[in-house]
Amino acid sequence: MVNSTEKESNYQDLDKMSVLEILENINKEDQTVAQSVNRAIGQIEKFVSATVEKMKQGGRLFYLGAGTSGRLGILDASECPPTFGVPHDWILGLIAGGDSAIRNAVEFAEDDLDQAWKDLQEYQINQNDVVMGIAASGTTPYVIGALKKAREEGMITGCIVCNFESPIAELAEFPIEVVTGPEFVTGSTRMKAGTAQKLVLNMVSTSIMIQLGRVKGNKMIDMQLSNHKLVKRGVRIIMDEIQVDQEIAANLLDKYGNVRTAIESYKKAH
């Protein structure tokens, strides 16, 4: 394995650059990330397809990671219930060091081979569930231990890594390898590698939810109406879908409290 995420930056003397030079060069590097993700779409498709089938059988998707990778998994998981109106336990994110590590680094938490599997046991994980490890280096012990045990237990496993032929990719049944290369600041994988992971997570969760029927056309008809902006969006969706004016749409949404239910109830009555 060649750990390209730890290679020295292609840029020297960052501390001597102007603010404009720093920004332009970071942006130049960021523009390569989407191309790296594009090369992994075939791998992403295989993982998503396998996960959808498991979730149709009542399975859940677990994201596991440490540091930035763990935080990105938690972010993606936490945004699915409000966006798609799904239960909080459909997609779950776990981080080495527990919830306190979301805000503050927990020293050496990622080095424990056994802890992630212990963390998963709290959710009564079973063979319908899917475990995805997220690790830029592809070498995080916390993730390795969980994937190894999950495969032994017959579960579907996947990963998002940013190096080729990493130990984590070798363990995962459905590896997603998005090779982003050296970071602008040497070894700072919160940058390009983190951006790549976020893009892949967007693709994974969104495509899964679409496949599970949580989007109609291009609209989030199951979203939670948790603020005024989203209520207004819900009204617009109803107006577009059943061709009624704003007052009728607002009354329907107020009556049923859910965009999908409002639309379906109106169509049944008419």
Side-chain angles (χ1 to χ4, degrees):
M1 169 190 162
V2 176
N3 195 340
S4 64
T5 55
E6 292 293 327
K7 282 186 175 180
E8 185 172 346
S9 172
N10 294 321
Y11 303 82
Q12 302 298 319
D13 300 320
L14 308 189
D15 51 334
K16 296 178 181 178
M17 291 181 182
S18 69
V19 172
L20 180 60
E21 288 173 324
I22 293 169
L23 297 176
E24 287 180 338
N25 287 325
I26 291 175
N27 181 250
K28 181 180 177 181
E29 287 299 303
D30 285 345
Q31 289 177 43
T32 68
V33 176
Q35 298 168 0
S36 300
V37 173
N38 179 261
R39 288 191 284 270
I41 283 180
Q43 293 180 325
I44 300 169
E45 178 192 18
K46 291 176 182 176
F47 174 77
V48 167
S49 297
T51 302
V52 167
E53 291 309 307
K54 283 295 183 181
M55 293 186 74
K56 284 180 177 178
Q57 298 169 31
R60 300 161 294 175
L61 171 58
F62 288 87
Y63 296 140
L64 296 174
T68 297
S69 298
R71 295 182 189 105
L72 288 169
I74 289 170
L75 173 63
D76 191 74
S78 67
E79 290 179 341
C80 287
T83 304
F84 302 106
V86 298
H88 286 271
D89 65 351
W90 276 29
I91 300 182
L92 298 127
L94 303 179
I95 186 171
D99 284 355
S100 63
I102 297 171
R103 290 184 178 274
N104 301 294
V106 177
E107 292 184 3
F108 302 108
E110 70 175 65
D111 296 326
D112 191 330
L113 271 169
D114 301 319
Q115 188 59 49
W117 185 250
K118 293 177 184 176
D119 292 343
L120 287 168
Q121 293 309 295
E122 296 181 17
Y123 296 89
Q124 289 79 50
I125 192 167
N126 60 73
Q127 289 187 348
N128 278 334
D129 295 324
V130 177
V131 179
M132 168 177 267
I134 311 170
S137 66
T139 61
T140 307
Y142 179 82
V143 175
I144 287 174
L147 290 185
K148 186 174 185 295
K149 186 65 176 176
R151 287 209 72 171
E152 289 173 358
E153 296 292 325
M155 297 168 196
I156 284 179
T157 55
C159 69
I160 305 171
V161 296
C162 297
N163 287 299
F164 282 131
E165 299 177 346
S166 69
I168 286 175
E170 289 178 9
L171 275 173
E173 184 178 359
F174 296 99
I176 298 170
E177 298 169 299
V178 182
V179 180
T180 48
E183 296 286 359
F184 178 71
V185 177
T186 300
S188 182
T189 51
R190 58 177 283 274
M191 301 185 76
K192 287 195 303 182
T195 300
Q197 291 171 338
K198 179 66 169 75
L199 291 176
V200 174
L201 288 165
N202 286 348
M203 296 166 75
V204 166
S205 57
T206 303
S207 56
I208 287 172
M209 291 300 156
I210 292 171
Q211 289 291 302
L212 293 177
R214 309 305 293 196
V215 171
K216 182 173 177 58
N218 58 11
K219 304 294 195 304
M220 300 180 289
I221 63 169
D222 289 311
M223 65 181 178
Q224 293 178 0
L225 305 173
S226 55
N227 58 49
H228 293 304
K229 179 190 74 175
L230 296 178
V231 171
K232 290 179 180 178
R233 183 186 297 164
V235 170
R236 291 197 302 273
I237 292 172
I238 294 169
M239 291 170 65
D240 291 342
E241 183 66 23
I242 59 178
Q243 297 299 300
V244 295
D245 63 27
Q246 183 173 341
E247 182 179 359
I248 293 174
N251 288 336
L252 285 167
L253 190 57
D254 184 60
K255 179 180 180 180
Y256 294 103
N258 175 272
V259 175
R260 180 193 291 271
T261 306
I263 291 170
E264 291 178 350
S265 299
Y266 181 87
K267 286 183 174 179
K268 284 180 181 178
H270 296 79

